Amino acid sequence: MLDRIAEFLVFGFLPLVVGILAVPETSVAAEKAIRGEVIYRERIALPPSAVLSIQLADVSLADAPAKIIREQNVKPTGQVPIGFEIKFDPSVIRSQMTYALQARITVDDKLLFISDVRHQVDPLTDVPQTIMLKIVTLSTEPGASVVGQLWLVDYVDGIGAITAPQATFKISEAGNAGGHGPCNSYFATVKVDGQAIAISDVGSTYKACAPEVMAEEKALFDALTKAASYKIDAGKLTIADKDGREILRFSAAS
């Protein structure tokens, strides 16, 4: 009888004990989530091809592109509000940094709505967020043309208002662009298709100016290469990047 009990203990319980000990201990990092909704004022129903993109971004550096922490794409159904949930690793969040939510709605890859003001957020709180979107208007003033007009540079992304030295911008019928920067004369290749615009191959003369003037000029040239769309309203030309964010503003020269 004692022999059978010993056999049971060795061959019955021991494999079970070994099996338990063989299971590795796992550790799963807890995810955080930002939840909320996106709204807009217009009474517009979104078509089936619409896509809402929500980004959690590090916007700490004013003179550099935002660093995207996490992005979520949603296929909206029905009317606004459109709910969203962005999950992320909380270990990447730093207390000294600034974070914001960015949102846009595209239809067939064309921008329709965008968040045009910074929606700053503390990612580690559980407060629901509401993001207001603004409709993107690509209509151009009747009779106005971006080609052949001399434009005075009023604003450059990353710098702000440009007043002196006065910078200019002009597009020729031949598909060339150029003008006077804050320091040097410059030239570029441009393609205009409807309200879409692409500027490439920016070059300039090599005159040296004060450091702050050269910084303005570099920002102007960088912004020109990011051009994706434009609109003209009341003698004002605005150029936006691929995300619909205004990066350049001009006034028509008299």
Side-chain angles (χ1 to χ4, degrees):
M1 182 66 178
L2 292 176
D3 290 341
R4 294 188 62 187
I5 293 174
E7 182 181 352
F8 179 77
L9 289 174
V10 172
F11 295 103
F13 279 90
L14 185 57
L16 178 61
V17 174
V18 172
I20 293 174
L21 295 176
V23 176
E25 184 177 349
T26 59
S27 176
V28 179
E31 281 189 322
K32 287 284 291 182
I34 298 179
R35 299 175 178 85
E37 61 184 19
V38 167
I39 60 174
Y40 52 77
R41 292 189 175 91
E42 290 77 10
R43 299 178 62 85
I44 299 175
L46 296 173
S49 57
V51 176
L52 166 66
S53 297
I54 306 285
Q55 295 175 336
L56 172 61
D58 181 344
V59 294
S60 304
L61 300 178
D63 58 348
K67 178 183 177 182
I68 307 303
I69 305 298
R70 200 66 180 268
E71 181 173 4
Q72 181 199 23
N73 291 331
V74 178
K75 297 285 288 184
T77 56
Q79 295 281 358
V80 291
I82 306 166
F84 67 86
E85 178 184 70
I86 302 180
K87 295 182 178 180
F88 64 95
D89 180 359
S91 67
V92 304
I93 304 301
R94 300 289 181 265
S95 59
Q96 69 273 25
M97 299 301 183
T98 303
Y99 299 92
L101 291 174
Q102 304 175 159
R104 64 181 182 271
I105 295 176
T106 57
V107 176
D108 298 324
D109 295 324
K110 294 182 180 179
L111 188 64
L112 182 61
F113 290 94
I114 193 168
S115 51
D116 64 335
V117 296
R118 176 181 290 187
H119 187 97
Q120 194 165 320
V121 65
D122 179 354
L124 301 181
T125 67
D126 296 322
V127 178
Q129 303 295 317
T130 299
I131 305 175
M132 174 66 74
L133 300 188
K134 180 180 179 181
I135 193 168
V136 176
T137 304
L138 294 178
S139 59
T140 298
E141 183 178 316
S145 174
V146 70
V147 178
Q149 171 69 52
L150 179 64
W151 300 97
L152 306 179
V153 181
D154 294 332
Y155 169 87
V156 178
D157 183 46
I159 295 294
I162 301 292
T163 55
Q166 181 67 66
T168 62
F169 174 68
K170 187 175 182 178
I171 299 174
S172 72
E173 296 284 353
N176 299 315
H180 292 286
C183 182
N184 289 277
S185 298
Y186 69 96
F187 50 88
T189 301
V190 63
K191 181 180 179 181
V192 178
D193 183 9
Q195 271 66 65
I197 184 170
I199 302 172
S200 59
D201 303 324
V202 178
S204 72
T205 55
Y206 295 97
K207 180 182 175 182
C209 296
E212 62 272 16
V213 176
M214 298 305 293
E216 290 181 355
E217 187 161 274
K218 182 180 184 302
L220 170 62
F221 295 166
D222 288 346
L224 288 171
T225 63
K226 297 175 183 176
S229 64
Y230 78 92
K231 63 180 179 180
I232 300 173
D233 184 24
K236 301 287 186 179
L237 166 65
T238 301
I239 290 180
D241 64 12
K242 62 182 179 62
D243 294 322
R245 186 170 61 91
E246 293 184 355
I247 55 175
L248 289 164
R249 291 198 293 266
F250 309 82
S251 296
S254 56

